[in-house]
Amino acid sequence: MLHRKITLSENEIPTKWYNIIADMPNKPLPPLHPGTKEPIGPEALAPLFPMELIKQEVTPEKWVEIPDEIRDVYSLWRPTPLYRAHNFEKMLDSPAKIYYKYEGVSPSGSHKPNTAVPQAYYNKMEGVKRITTETGAGQWGSALSFACNLFGIECEVYMVKISYNQKPYRKMMMNTWGAKVYASPTNHTQAGRKILEMDPDSPGSLGIAISEAVERAATEEETKYSLGSVLNHVLLHQTVVGQEAVVQMEKAGDFPDVVIAPFGGGSNFAGLSFPFLRFNLEEGKKVRCIASEPSSCPKLTRGVFRYDFGDTVGMTPLLPMYTLGHNFVPAPIHAGGLRYHGAGVIVSQLLKDKLIEATAHDQLEVFDAGVKFARAEGIIPAPEATHAIATVVEEVERCKREGKSETILFNLCGHGNFDMKAYEDYFAGNLEKHEVTQQEIESSLAELDTPVI
Amino acid sequence: MLHRKITLSENEIPTKWYNIIADMPNKPLPPLHPGTKEPIGPEALAPLFPMELIKQEVTPEKWVEIPDEIRDVYSLWRPTPLYRAHNFEKMLDSPAKIYYKYEGVSPSGSHKPNTAVPQAYYNKMEGVKRITTETGAGQWGSALSFACNLFGIECEVYMVKISYNQKPYRKMMMNTWGAKVYASPTNHTQAGRKILEMDPDSPGSLGIAISEAVERAATEEETKYSLGSVLNHVLLHQTVVGQEAVVQMEKAGDFPDVVIAPFGGGSNFAGLSFPFLRFNLEEGKKVRCIASEPSSCPKLTRGVFRYDFGDTVGMTPLLPMYTLGHNFVPAPIHAGGLRYHGAGVIVSQLLKDKLIEATAHDQLEVFDAGVKFARAEGIIPAPEATHAIATVVEEVERCKREGKSETILFNLCGHGNFDMKAYEDYFAGNLEKHEVTQQEIESSLAELDTPVI
């Protein structure tokens, strides 16, 4: 019998979230007011988020207690399994050992509920009746719908209209958990009406959907807003993934040389890698943590580090981030969760300080890796997850060249059950590479008038 | 912290399958030749199945060793978790404790790979190069595609044309695992061509698809056929589900009074219930095992016990079963996996001997129960699984009436990720009850000229 799967029991669900800020040699720079461009404090976030999440956003404490009520909900799918990818190693003729942490066992099928649940919980504790959010392909919207339903909070999801029409299954999933899902732009926000006046047939965008969700939260009673990545408290919640993986790797009698995760806004990557990075920061270990992004949206590998807005419209505070410019429009790749112009501030600072690495892959490369993985290990990965797999293939090739036998761990952050169309397009030869030219990046960055760092 | 989830480690995957025939007071009657109507021996199955599976089909041995190679593949998703449904209990104000075994964590999302994997393995051992099968909604076809891919066997799936067109995601899933999927009827079998000559626009049926798959296996070199339910060896393989659940219930310090599973051909029900039924047969315990079928296809609750064909066309051996007649056409309910006219021979004999029970629910009742469950526990159940949930609700109501606090265990045999259209139809009020009239049953049975028992 091969030792393939390392499981943990429910009492091994982490009791604390790990806040890497406490261990960072250089702390992230403060956010700036979008108008005055002066540093702002946590109170600026109060209209949108409950106080406990704002506290977590700015806390210097290294460990944040996870309330039992949240651990109880986590136990619906956590701890998630960690696998040794014996079949995939064999297929790649790999000198390296490959492990993966599988987050697709959650009810909505990705790592997103790890933060949706605490966000819903803290809103509930502070008497919030309704949470609004935006969603593109629907991973985040479905996770938040699931979480709000469990705590008896209304959930209002602004789903980019083109996705709403093209990906009805995710919408139906949200409805099943009782959420209201609107094709954005709608005519019940000022932002939406303004867009519709100019273009009644607007297909929508994530930027517009954010504006609608934020406007609703800012103007409705007992209503708050929720974000699925980028922010510090979101990354914090995801560290349950890596903490479990540390214990599981120990049980496997192993420790990773390389930790790899897909990169969109940072929560996927942070979730797995930060608890390993802790060993570097605390003990001087040398685990390489690699963020894997799409070459169609290469903020980490080809963007600049400067202040930029979190949204397209320019309503949010200015954040110090690696960015392609908030007007950058990524190609419509299937990995919708990675189509974000910037990187969260913690990850950006870590990259600037060379404490983590980044790499980029085009769409054909990642689906090639994803299909190989599906045929070796059985699980069909979400398009986002295939980016990490492509990086694994790259690292295995390096190990072969260098004659090394290393240990690689990656985050299989979700299954592809709702993304089968992407696989069909791949097999039919209908997928494009979507490389971005240097000129496109430069022209997007040239538009920025935000503070340089 | 609630005790919600009972996990097992991979070395707790069962080492043997449990063959209930050894413990049955009355053994199943023999199959009869479709032409001569004389009893036939196992050799009659040799053109379609590898010898090891035929041996398992007729073995009187109580325990059948599970080869390590199969346990190794099982470890990709097994042992599956067993949950205490605290939230659902609370929602129902239930005096009964409710547990569920969750099989949706398999790569194809249901219990079907439990038998697909050993079937592919034994075919591989005997040098088979290609396996053919039929599939309706696609649960079975995708499980077999997954299994064949792992053992390097070609998989050829005849998918009912109307499902092929209406449910493209399941087809794409099979393609991702390398299977060839054809919209049945095709023009590359005699059976298919015959149908297409009569009706070029035929939407297909499971009966036609079976005929095509069987014809291919019977006429092509190194090609065998595979069935996903009904047969003894299929039920045998599924007993890993119940064996794990027995250990998990022990760990929970509990034991079920009632075990409930959906009923199509029998493998789902057998998988969970037989290892508990063993305690009745061996030690005189009184666990009630309830098979839950759709009221649109009520062979157990309203059919007759007699010899009938396994397929619609009348090519298979005659089997002693509870049946609605092989020409019975069930309404197009969303639980496609339960639309089968007959019940496997073991389950039929057990029901005749009053060792198990059966109940039926209409489609509105099961989706009502399924949505309640999804909102309480988070997991969106497959339409097949909602039948078991409706029976749970029924049993909870009985416990309330009788003032009893019993322990209920059911099989949550799969997730509904590929069935979201069914939920949408339910919410939109577009689902029909599909009760079947006594006259419809009688007229279907009146056509039978098969031997009465």
Side-chain angles (χ1 to χ4, degrees), chain A residues 5 76 78 83 149 176 375, chain B residues 5 76 83 149 176 375:
Chain A
K5 184 164 65 168
L76 282 170
R78 305 210 70 84
Y83 290 91
N149 166 68
T176 303
R375 291 186 176 172
Chain B
K5 183 164 67 167
L76 282 169
Y83 290 91
N149 165 69
T176 302
R375 292 187 176 172

Side-chain angles (χ1 to χ4, degrees), chain A residues 74-344:
Chain A
Y74 276 166
S75 75
L76 282 170
W77 74 96
R78 305 210 70 84
T80 61
L82 181 130
Y83 290 91
R84 172 86 185 268
H86 287 291
N87 295 2
F88 195 44
E89 288 175 21
K90 203 170 153 191
M91 180 187 269
L92 298 178
D93 192 22
S94 170
K97 286 185 274 186
I98 304 172
Y99 291 86
Y100 57 98
K101 179 76 168 161
Y102 184 43
E103 290 291 305
V105 294
S106 80
S108 69
S110 80
H111 64 296
K112 291 290 185 190
N114 296 331
T115 184
V117 168
Q119 290 197 49
Y121 170 80
Y122 290 116
N123 273 286
K124 179 70 179 182
M125 289 302 102
E126 296 182 28
V128 172
K129 297 280 185 274
R130 182 191 295 118
I131 300 180
T132 66
T133 198
E134 71 289 333
T135 199
Q139 289 258 18
W140 169 243
S142 51
L144 191 67
S145 302
F146 156 74
C148 284
N149 166 68
L150 287 180
F151 289 107
I153 302 177
E154 272 182 49
C155 184
E156 202 173 282
V157 182
Y158 290 84
M159 186 171 185
V160 177
K161 194 190 273 174
I162 189 167
S163 297
Y164 182 96
N165 291 327
Q166 286 177 351
K167 304 198 173 186
Y169 274 33
R170 276 277 174 204
K171 183 205 130 221
M172 295 174 204
M173 189 178 214
M174 297 183 237
N175 290 150
T176 303
W177 284 316
K180 289 180 188 151
V181 187
Y182 300 107
S184 167
T186 72
N187 59 18
H188 56 266
T189 66
Q190 219 170 353
R193 282 190 296 272
K194 197 171 147 192
I195 300 286
L196 288 173
E197 269 168 35
M198 293 187 294
D199 177 7
D201 298 322
S202 165
S205 74
L206 213 46
I208 297 167
I210 292 177
S211 303
E212 292 208 275
V214 167
E215 180 185 323
R216 285 283 292 167
T219 56
E220 280 291 306
E221 289 296 313
E222 301 178 315
T223 302
K224 296 281 180 192
Y225 168 73
S226 171
L227 197 65
S229 189
V230 180
L231 298 180
N232 300 349
H233 67 273
V234 181
L235 275 57
L236 178 79
H237 298 154
Q238 291 291 353
T239 60
V240 289
V241 177
Q243 289 186 68
E244 287 176 8
V246 166
V247 176
Q248 286 165 313
M249 289 302 295
E250 273 168 15
K251 290 200 180 190
D254 225 330
F255 197 81
D257 300 294
V258 187
V259 173
I260 298 166
F263 194 88
S267 78
N268 187 331
F269 173 73
L272 183 65
S273 72
F274 285 4
F276 287 96
L277 210 48
R278 179 162 83 86
F279 289 91
N280 293 4
L281 299 171
E282 276 184 357
E283 307 174 10
K285 281 207 181 187
K286 301 282 182 199
V287 184
R288 293 173 57 216
C289 295
I290 311 178
S292 182
E293 66 182 6
S295 58
S296 55
C297 192
K299 58 247 181 188
L300 295 178
T301 51
R302 297 170 69 191
V304 295
F305 183 68
R306 71 183 283 174
Y307 274 101
D308 197 4
F309 297 105
D311 67 329
T312 309
V313 191
M315 290 165 66
T316 71
L318 287 156
L319 301 172
M321 49 160 62
Y322 276 91
T323 180
L324 295 163
H326 61 274
N327 287 318
F328 183 81
V329 180
I333 56 167
H334 280 284
L338 310 185
R339 294 179 67 239
Y340 186 69
H341 68 274

Side-chain angles (χ1 to χ4, degrees), chain A residues 2-5 10 72 75-78 83 149-150 172-173 175-177 375 378 415 417 420 424, chain B residues 2-5 10 72 75-78 83 149 172 175-177 374-375 378 415 417 420 424:
Chain A
L2 294 169
H3 297 288
R4 188 190 286 286
K5 184 164 65 168
E10 63 179 9
D72 178 44
S75 75
L76 282 170
W77 74 96
R78 305 210 70 84
Y83 290 91
N149 166 68
L150 287 180
M172 295 174 204
M173 189 178 214
N175 290 150
T176 303
W177 284 316
R375 291 186 176 172
H415 62 64
N417 289 356
M420 295 311 306
E424 181 173 69
Chain B
L2 294 170
H3 296 288
R4 188 190 286 286
K5 183 164 67 167
E10 62 178 9
D72 178 44
S75 74
L76 282 169
W77 74 97
R78 307 210 67 85
Y83 290 91
N149 165 69
M172 295 173 204
N175 290 150
T176 302
W177 284 316
R375 292 187 176 172
H415 62 62
N417 289 356
M420 295 313 304
E424 181 173 67

Side-chain angles (χ1 to χ4, degrees), chain B residues 298-299 302-308 321-328 341 438-450 452:
Chain B
K299 59 251 181 186
R302 297 169 71 191
V304 294
F305 183 67
R306 69 182 284 174
Y307 274 101
D308 197 5
M321 49 161 60
Y322 276 90
T323 180
L324 296 163
H326 60 274
N327 287 318
F328 183 82
H341 68 276
Q438 196 54 31
Q439 201 192 333
E440 285 171 297
I441 293 175
E442 280 169 19
S443 91
S444 172
L445 292 173
E447 287 177 29
L448 284 186
D449 58 356
T450 55
V452 178

